[in-house]
Amino acid sequence: MLVDLPGGWNPLLGRLAWSQIPYDNPILAPLFVAVVLGGIAIVALITYYGKWGYLWKEWLTTVDHKKLGVMYIIIGLVMLFRGFVDGMMIRTQQAWAVGPDSSGVFGALHGYLTPFHYGQVYTAHGLIMILLAATPLLVGFMNIIVPIQIGARDMAYPYLNALGLWITAAGAALIMASLFIGNFAHNGWFGYAPIFEIQYSPGVGVDYWMWTLQLLALGTTLGGINLLVTIIKMRAPGMTWFRLPIFVWASLSANIIALTSFPALQVALGLVAADRYLGAHFFTAGLGGNLMLYTNLFWIWGHPEVYFVILPAFGMMSEIFPVFSEKPLFGYITMVLASFAIAGVSWLVWLHHFFTMGAGPDVNSFFSVATMLVGIPTGVKVFNWAFTMYRGRLTFTAAMLWALGALFLLLIGGLTGMMLAIPAINYMVHNSVFVIAHFHSMLLVIVYAVFGSVIFWFPKVFGFKLDEFWAKTMFWLFTGGTVLVFVPMYMLGFMGMTRRLDYVFNTNWHPYLLVMEGGIVVYTLSVFAFFVLLYVSIRDRVKNRVGADAWGTSRSLEWLTHSPVPFYNFAVTPHVNARDEAAWRRANGIAAVQPAKYVDIHMPNNTPVALYIGALTFVLGFALTWRIWWLCLASLVAIIVLMIVRSYRGDPGYIVTAAELERMEREAIARERQVDGSAGEPVVGGAPAVGRPAMAYERSDLPKTSTPPSMGPGAHH
Amino acid sequence: MYMNKVWRLAAPWMALLVGLWSSQADAGIFWIFDPKGVMADTNLKYMIIDVLVMGAIVGITALLVVWFMWRYHKGKNRGSYHPEWSHSNAIEVVVWGIPIVAVGFLAYFAVKGTFELNPYNPTVITKNMTPQSQRVDVDVIATDWQWLFVYPQYHMAVANELVLPVDTPAFFRLTSTSVTSGFFIPQLVGMIDVMPGMRTKNALYTTHVGEYQGICSDYAGAGTSWMTFKTKIVPQAEFTQWVQQVKASPKIMTEASFDRYAEPYINVHHRVAYFSQVPDGLFDHVMMEVMDGKTWPIPPMMTENMVAYMAKQSAEHRD
């Protein structure tokens, strides 16, 4: 051991010992029992219905970007729920532990959580919500929608895509493991120096935090590379840069940020690991360490990360508004410019997360003005959405409501963001709950956009719409919760309440904290509404079936293919003629044109390797956390061997023949005609359908312009 | 129909929020809106400027959106429908112009305010001072989880209570023994990070006698929530008297006793301690020691059971 570790260590189990299992904790022990029982129930159900084979073949080993995207979204929603429960615990503690006379249980002086536990809860809440809820939800949508919107068959690297998912899942598993084995970090999701050093956080909590973040950073970086290559290289013929759907532009700008910023985090965490494992002094207070360096490095990633999650959300809103305004997005070029302006400026603003750290006024001024610059493109976006509605024909579907909710939250978040950007104001509200309310406003923009997108794109992926009544009910309950939690929180900020208090010393704040607790109850109702929404929609799925164009006013390319989207996306690669291709085809009366002729297509094979590597990265993360060196080595070697073996074998892929394709297409068309008779008789037009140079489909006699997914040597026949 | 129900459900809650706000708005509990020192005053001034400018823009935009939602509601036939309209140079100029002008305008104030409130040299205070002006210096040393306020001019120190004379600028040097924490007195002065092995500064000036809440604004570990301190602004005569009182205390602080004092201590009962003597240069001594690698580690999972920990802590008889 290079560092002194409190507690024991042995070569076989590292720091792991029975005493690390919190079986005597009155909150965790019952939860553990519930989780075990739930797990047994799920396993039993899968076995009873004989679904293991289906699960393995269709989901666990898949490389289909849509299924991977759906799994990303499932991870995101599950972790959103876990993060919500953490939030509920935080709110309950603060509503309870107010003033010296408040009672305490479970070993806490006040409330029911000891400071150490409370710290873990809010740290987990922050990390989960940003990296395991927002990020997977958005990556999931980018995964599903981007390839279809650009007319590709799959992502550029389908196997890498699966790898990204399973590494993200490993990160999620690691943070969940910390619930029942050992503990989690107590020092905030950004874990400032030097409190994460071994002297001040001697347990394994910080190690869990560090390796979870590393895994998530790795998974997201891999996903970012994949999306960038897909967007740049795999666009359908005719899909020029300025015909790209706006969500693709948003994804492109976001993933440029991801690819360039996540390595900064990984380096920073690597240095933290050196401090904690090797006894280095990168971020210690003494011996030449520089604790401010960590803060800088973290936010050099952290701020771009904020835009990495907000830009796709903006893209989603830009897709939803035009469809339910029945006209094109206002100022498309401006929107693209604004996205890239936000992405560019995101690199110049990190210091506004610590104006109070004592930089000189010249430095603070620079970052203050740079931060305010973000307001310009963001303001432009808001105006453009408003003018998209102007002269439109608005239908207030549930998806539209969520998008509008996001817009109003963005206005509030923008107003308070411009306050925080000015150091003279920031000094008063930095580290207060005002900041918490501000960034929750912004992150709720993402949540609103995501729920809007769930409703908006659900019919595309699954072939039936979600129930409008329950979707709207959920929206209003969720909005009620938002108002009741965050309006008092802004007020408390103006009262000087600082963040992360596990004991609230000022009883004047109590009424507000109680209102927030009421807001949490309303939020909980919205969670129930979501479950009801899923249940009702799945129950009525036959009634709610949709055709290719689920909303009747859809605009971009993804609405041309069938709902649910077949595994090959488009039977014949479409030729893109306009910015809003679906709307263009509808306007020109060729929305129902089917290809004249099918050709063989080439698809990637399923592979379990990504799942194995994901599982091994979990083992590696766990072993590193507990310092079980032999297991670290074994899992690392196994990962490398698997990667090498997979690289040598490659994947030749398989061929879907034209005949098979035609049969599947016929079935899909027949199914769709049952649903929307309005589409009328399909016209077999093929290419060219509407006079040159416009075409409906890529001509099969021309050389292919979009390459099939790369699958190593021997893939191209 | 559906919307009516939504409003009926939402109305009582909204009324509750408005009621809470209006019943307590003037009760002086909105510390940020009720500044008592020149630093906090200036913070509020900039907040008002910013909120007026941004509030106007955001408010008008919100009204515009609501108006569009009303006017272009499908089936109501209030506005005309232009299915292809998606570009207008005039509007583009306006939508880029407004934010650019607003940001330009606010940027001026942002820079001005940053220099006025520069914690190392807050010109809102120092512009009225001469080298001969009376001042109080306080060296602030944050430990896990107490505050030590050293008064180098009086060679004395006070734990967990800050007493300052009114109408006299006070200048702080701040450092920490263990981890990063934050020094914040909402009604007097904004936050500044307090870091181990580093020295930050801040200052305050007030003409209001009174008692104000001081807070540890950055999470520093298990005892952060109790790491609060009362700030008493007292008349000059009373301050002199108070100094005498501290100087009469039997307790003294030495470099060795500081070592013990700085060990983790959760100040649940808000103990205040007076130290009539402090070695000169304690602040620099602590900073140098930390830079040389000294730490005050915390025991693992020390607050896993807070009740038990408090029993253990009080058995130590730290006072």
Side-chain angles (χ1 to χ4, degrees), chain A residues 251-539:
Chain A
S251 306
L252 184 70
S253 55
N255 282 296
I256 291 173
I257 297 179
L259 183 64
T260 42
S261 69
F262 271 94
L265 173 71
Q266 294 187 290
V267 168
L269 291 171
L271 300 183
V272 177
D275 276 11
R276 282 184 66 89
Y277 285 74
L278 308 175
H281 291 276
F282 286 105
F283 305 129
T284 54
L287 300 170
N290 188 339
L291 54 100
M292 297 193 299
L293 184 62
Y294 173 78
T295 315
N296 278 281
L297 280 175
F298 185 88
W299 288 114
I300 282 173
W301 162 77
H303 200 83
E305 156 72 12
V306 174
Y307 294 149
F308 168 66
V309 287
I310 201 87
L311 281 171
F314 287 168
M316 292 165 164
M317 292 162 73
S318 302
E319 293 285 346
I320 294 173
F321 282 122
V323 169
F324 299 108
S325 304
E326 303 188 15
K327 62 193 273 292
L329 183 70
F330 179 84
Y332 170 90
I333 302 275
T334 304
M335 279 305 224
V336 173
L337 285 178
S339 291
F340 278 80
I342 293 174
V345 178
S346 75
W347 289 99
L348 302 173
V349 301
W350 77 87
L351 192 128
H352 72 216
H353 292 271
F354 44 95
F355 277 142
T356 62
M357 203 162 76
D362 31 15
V363 173
N364 277 359
S365 295
F366 172 85
F367 282 97
S368 163
V369 175
T371 303
M372 286 198 282
L373 291 180
V374 179
I376 298 172
T378 314
V380 168
K381 277 181 176 285
V382 172
F383 285 125
N384 281 3
W385 291 323
F387 284 105
T388 302
M389 288 186 263
Y390 178 62
R391 295 182 164 177
R393 217 158 50 177
L394 311 186
T395 31
F396 296 104
T397 57
M400 183 69 166
L401 287 181
W402 284 104
L404 282 165
L407 182 109
F408 283 106
L409 275 166
L410 181 61
L411 285 175
I412 295 165
L415 174 67
T416 51
M418 286 296 275
M419 292 167 74
L420 288 163
I422 296 178
I425 305 171
N426 186 291
Y427 292 153
M428 273 294 156
V429 283
H430 171 78
N431 265 341
S432 78
V433 293
F434 181 85
V435 168
I436 314 292
H438 160 72
F439 70 66
H440 278 84
S441 297
M442 296 310 280
L443 285 166
L444 281 166
V445 170
I446 298 165
V447 176
Y448 273 66
V450 163
F451 278 121
S453 302
V454 167
I455 295 159
F456 183 61
W457 277 309
F458 190 90
K460 182 82 295 189
V461 178
F462 293 102
F464 59 97
K465 279 189 191 182
L466 289 171
D467 185 87
E468 275 288 307
F469 173 82
W470 282 101
K472 284 184 180 173
T473 303
M474 183 201 170
F475 168 79
W476 286 111
L477 286 170
F478 196 91
T479 304
T482 303
V483 171
L484 287 175
V485 171
F486 294 105
V487 171
M489 198 182 275
Y490 276 122
M491 292 190 193
L492 284 168
F494 290 128
M495 293 177 208
M497 180 171 171
T498 48
R499 67 195 288 194
R500 298 178 170 168
L501 296 177
D502 59 87
Y503 160 69
V504 180
F505 55 83
N506 190 334
T507 47
N508 284 331
W509 299 337
H510 203 190
Y512 298 85
L513 293 167
L514 288 174
V515 173
M516 287 155 90
E517 186 73 5
I520 284 290
V521 174
V522 180
Y523 264 138
T524 312
L525 293 177
S526 83
V527 174
F528 281 118
F530 182 64
F531 289 131
V532 176
L533 168 67
L534 287 182
Y535 169 74
V536 169
S537 308
I538 293 171
R539 189 192 62 193

Side-chain angles (χ1 to χ4, degrees), chain A residues 543-554:
Chain A
K543 199 176 83 196
N544 294 336
R545 278 250 298 275
V546 293
D549 180 358
W551 303 103
T553 55
S554 312

Side-chain angles (χ1 to χ4, degrees), chain B residues 269-303:
Chain B
H269 302 295
H270 300 288
R271 101 181 157 143
V272 172
Y274 293 167
F275 300 98
S276 53
Q277 275 181 45
V278 169
D280 287 341
L282 178 68
F283 183 91
D284 299 312
H285 169 77
V286 169
M287 228 171 79
M288 292 312 291
E289 264 200 322
V290 172
M291 287 172 80
D292 285 344
K294 186 166 175 62
T295 56
W296 280 267
I298 63 166
M301 283 179 260
M302 63 179 295
T303 59

Side-chain angles (χ1 to χ4, degrees), chain A residues 33-90:
Chain A
V33 174
V35 167
V36 169
L37 290 178
I40 291 173
I42 290 172
V43 169
L45 279 176
I46 296 173
T47 313
Y48 179 78
Y49 287 106
K51 290 286 184 194
W52 283 112
Y54 165 79
L55 205 60
W56 180 259
K57 251 175 56 194
E58 296 294 322
W59 294 93
L60 298 180
T61 61
T62 188
V63 292
D64 181 341
H65 70 102
K66 297 171 290 296
K67 284 178 179 162
L68 293 172
V70 168
M71 286 191 279
Y72 263 117
I73 290 171
I74 290 171
I75 293 177
L77 287 175
V78 169
M79 296 311 279
L80 186 70
F81 181 70
R82 153 96 207 261
F84 168 71
V85 174
D86 286 336
M88 197 153 68
M89 291 174 78
I90 297 169

Side-chain angles (χ1 to χ4, degrees), chain B residues 6-246:
Chain B
V6 170
W7 285 122
R8 252 205 315 274
L9 277 167
W13 288 100
M14 304 256 236
L16 179 66
L17 277 180
V18 174
L20 259 180
W21 176 282
S22 51
S23 67
Q24 293 185 297
D26 55 347
I29 66 167
F30 285 88
W31 285 340
I32 307 298
F33 299 150
D34 189 25
K36 296 291 184 193
V38 67
M39 296 286 275
D41 254 342
T42 316
N43 289 115
L44 182 62
K45 187 185 92 188
Y46 284 104
M47 192 182 282
I48 290 169
I49 295 171
D50 180 87
V51 171
L52 283 179
V53 174
M54 286 309 296
I57 297 173
V58 166
I60 290 169
T61 310
L63 288 177
L64 198 70
V65 173
V66 172
W67 184 59
F68 289 167
M69 284 165 64
W70 175 83
R71 186 170 164 85
Y72 297 104
H73 195 158
K74 189 177 184 176
K76 304 275 171 160
N77 294 323
R78 295 190 188 105
S80 56
Y81 173 50
H82 297 249
E84 288 308 317
W85 185 82
S86 66
H87 182 73
S88 151
N89 282 332
I91 292 178
E92 292 278 5
V93 169
V94 173
V95 299
W96 283 92
I98 291 176
I100 289 174
V101 171
V103 165
F105 179 77
L106 289 173
Y108 165 75
F109 288 102
V111 174
K112 187 162 173 272
T114 309
F115 279 86
E116 279 182 11
L117 293 169
N118 171 15
Y120 296 97
N121 180 21
T123 54
V124 283
I125 295 177
T126 53
K127 72 180 177 200
N128 299 320
M129 290 176 69
T130 61
Q132 286 75 41
S133 296
Q134 214 188 0
R135 58 185 270 166
V136 184
D137 290 306
V138 182
D139 287 344
V140 181
I141 306 174
T143 63
D144 270 348
W145 295 284
Q146 299 186 79
W147 295 96
L148 185 70
F149 301 108
V150 180
Y151 292 73
Q153 289 149 320
Y154 306 97
H155 313 285
M156 64 179 207
V158 179
N160 305 317
E161 184 181 77
L162 179 61
V163 178
L164 295 169
V166 73
D167 292 330
T168 315
F171 290 88
F172 304 103
R173 299 196 302 162
L174 309 102
T175 193
S176 162
T177 52
S178 54
V179 301
T180 304
S181 53
F183 179 81
F184 180 38
I185 311 171
Q187 287 178 288
L188 296 178
V189 60
M191 301 172 192
I192 187 75
D193 285 12
V194 184
M195 293 171 284
M198 319 273 302
R199 186 262 300 125
T200 47
K201 289 184 175 180
N202 218 337
L204 71 81
Y205 176 78
T206 174
T207 53
H208 296 273
V209 168
E211 194 178 290
Y212 307 101
Q213 184 68 52
I215 304 174
C216 171
S217 62
D218 210 345
Y219 180 75
T224 312
S225 298
W226 290 274
M227 198 175 162
T228 54
F229 58 94
K230 286 271 176 281
T231 305
K232 293 177 180 162
I233 305 295
V234 298
Q236 188 65 51
E238 208 175 306
F239 181 73
T240 317
Q241 211 175 15
W242 175 79
V243 169
Q244 295 311 319
Q245 201 186 328
V246 177

Side-chain angles (χ1 to χ4, degrees), chain A residues 470-696:
Chain A
W470 282 101
K472 284 184 180 173
T473 303
M474 183 201 170
F475 168 79
W476 286 111
L477 286 170
F478 196 91
T479 304
T482 303
V483 171
L484 287 175
V485 171
F486 294 105
V487 171
M489 198 182 275
Y490 276 122
M491 292 190 193
L492 284 168
F494 290 128
M495 293 177 208
M497 180 171 171
T498 48
R499 67 195 288 194
R500 298 178 170 168
L501 296 177
D502 59 87
Y503 160 69
V504 180
F505 55 83
N506 190 334
T507 47
N508 284 331
W509 299 337
H510 203 190
Y512 298 85
L513 293 167
L514 288 174
V515 173
M516 287 155 90
E517 186 73 5
I520 284 290
V521 174
V522 180
Y523 264 138
T524 312
L525 293 177
S526 83
V527 174
F528 281 118
F530 182 64
F531 289 131
V532 176
L533 168 67
L534 287 182
Y535 169 74
V536 169
S537 308
I538 293 171
R539 189 192 62 193
D540 298 343
R541 61 185 176 280
V542 178
K543 199 176 83 196
N544 294 336
R545 278 250 298 275
V546 293
D549 180 358
W551 303 103
T553 55
S554 312
R555 308 198 66 83
S556 41
L557 193 60
E558 78 270 29
W559 302 102
L560 280 181
T561 186
H562 313 295
S563 313
V565 183
F567 65 91
Y568 45 82
N569 291 357
F570 294 91
V572 176
T573 305
H575 186 98
V576 180
N577 303 280
R579 190 172 286 162
D580 289 337
E581 182 69 10
W584 183 87
R585 290 196 183 197
R586 206 166 45 236
N588 286 289
I590 59 159
V593 167
Q594 299 300 329
K597 181 177 159 229
Y598 296 96
V599 288
D600 294 356
I601 57 173
H602 182 204
M603 297 299 293
N605 278 317
N606 282 1
T607 171
V609 176
L611 177 66
Y612 297 152
I613 293 184
L616 284 166
T617 52
F618 169 79
V619 174
L620 178 61
F622 188 82
L624 280 166
T625 301
W626 290 98
R627 301 174 198 235
I628 311 170
W629 304 125
W630 66 267
L631 191 56
C632 289
L633 197 67
S635 50
L636 192 62
V637 168
I639 290 170
I640 293 169
V641 167
L642 266 175
M643 282 164 97
I644 292 173
V645 169
R646 158 83 196 181
S647 304
Y648 272 94
R649 285 181 49 202
D651 174 22
Y654 67 100
I655 297 293
V656 183
T657 61
E660 274 176 276
L661 203 58
E662 193 163 356
R663 180 182 56 75
M664 287 187 284
E665 282 292 292
R666 265 184 219 288
E667 281 169 17
I669 293 165
R671 210 165 47 235
E672 256 162 18
R673 281 178 61 206
Q674 285 175 1
V675 184
D676 56 0
S678 60
E681 201 66 22
V683 189
V684 178
V690 279
R692 288 170 190 283
M695 285 192 286

